[in-house]
Amino acid sequence: MAIIGSARKERGAMRVGVLLGGCGHYDGTDVSEAVFVLLALEKAGERPVLLAPDVPQVRTVDHRAGDRIEGEQRGVLGESARIARQPVRSLSECRSEDLEAIIIPGGYGPVVNFSVGFAEPGAKRTIVSEVAEYIAHFIESRKPIGLVSLGEVPLRTLLNQEMVGTPETRDSGTLFIDRERRIVFTPGCGSFTRLEDIRTGIEAMVREILKMMGEARGAEGAP
């Protein structure tokens, strides 16, 4: 069941999905990056739709020691719900067609939990079908896609693009923008350790995403 009615859209409200991959940098979504995304959207007057695939978590990590915990199985959807004090919907509960943009914060969750064959020698890495179909809608429809740090990995995999590492920059507000595909990337924790720098980049990314959404709305309303 869709949480957003497809029969009509309220023209005054933009709809931004935030795709989560669990909770915690080593086995889920990076909490700092996710919170800064939600804060930036809230400051802009948006009410983001939190999303996560309802799939098993690939690994569970002790974030204090950095060691993998064996024999403990968690779910990506349930773990993602730890991040925000609002519902986190499974992808089946919110149609991608009802969203105008999507943002994927980083952390290793979007890498390992959205992928099959990650870090397996000789294995071809593919994206979990449910996640692949969801993200593909935004690529094919040229709807804005915001990426933070490792949140770019599933998208780059779908586009068959080589991973070249996080671009180097000393300016936390620098964005890397693919205007043809309408993709906006900020390096987040991949380049910066200070929370203020991470926040600055994410706020700049969110502003650009909302600008692109506004431009798309204007084009739709043009005669």
Side-chain angles (χ1 to χ4, degrees):
M1 181 180 72
I3 62 170
I4 301 173
S6 58
R8 63 182 178 86
K9 277 189 177 181
E10 298 176 12
R11 299 300 294 176
M14 292 184 175
R15 308 206 186 277
V16 185
V18 178
L19 182 58
L20 305 174
C23 181
H25 182 77
Y26 294 120
D27 57 12
T29 291
D30 185 275
V31 176
S32 298
E33 292 182 354
V35 170
F36 286 142
V37 167
L38 298 178
L39 179 60
L41 289 169
E42 182 181 283
K43 287 170 67 175
E46 303 302 324
R47 298 185 66 181
V49 180
L50 272 59
L51 306 162
D54 190 4
V55 295
Q57 189 166 288
V58 171
R59 66 188 187 195
T60 300
V61 175
D62 178 345
H63 280 70
R64 183 180 180 188
D67 298 327
R68 184 167 181 164
I69 301 174
E70 301 296 339
E72 184 172 335
Q73 183 65 65
R74 301 182 183 183
V76 173
L77 181 60
E79 288 298 294
S80 297
R82 294 175 179 268
I83 290 180
R85 295 176 60 186
Q86 67 185 79
V88 178
R89 311 294 182 181
S90 68
L91 298 184
S92 62
E93 291 181 292
C94 178
R95 300 194 319 161
S96 55
E97 292 86 350
D98 291 330
L99 296 172
E100 296 178 61
I102 195 165
I103 296 175
I104 311 176
Y108 283 98
V111 180
V112 298
N113 293 329
F114 294 174
S115 301
V116 177
F118 176 78
E120 295 179 12
K124 179 181 178 181
R125 186 170 68 202
T126 59
I127 302 300
V128 173
S129 60
E130 182 182 23
V131 177
E133 291 172 6
Y134 212 87
I135 297 176
H137 166 79
F138 294 88
I139 298 172
E140 294 164 2
S141 303
R142 293 188 68 251
K143 293 181 179 180
I145 302 172
L147 305 170
V148 187
S149 188
L150 291 172
E152 71 168 335
V153 173
L155 179 84
R156 302 302 181 197
T157 302
L158 284 175
L159 292 173
N160 293 315
Q161 293 181 343
E162 183 180 355
M163 298 295 167
V164 296
T166 302
E168 293 186 8
T169 177
R170 294 183 179 181
D171 182 354
S172 58
T174 297
L175 299 175
F176 300 87
I177 303 175
D178 180 341
R179 296 202 178 275
E180 175 62 28
R181 294 190 175 95
R182 308 183 81 191
I183 298 168
V184 185
F185 173 76
T186 178
C189 294
S191 290
F192 302 101
T193 56
R194 295 178 67 248
L195 291 176
E196 177 63 20
D197 291 328
I198 296 167
R199 181 186 66 83
T200 296
I202 288 174
E203 288 187 345
M205 178 269 291
V206 168
R207 285 195 298 271
E208 185 64 29
I209 289 293
L210 296 179
K211 178 182 176 183
M212 288 181 175
M213 290 167 63
E215 292 170 351
R217 283 190 164 196
E220 288 177 1

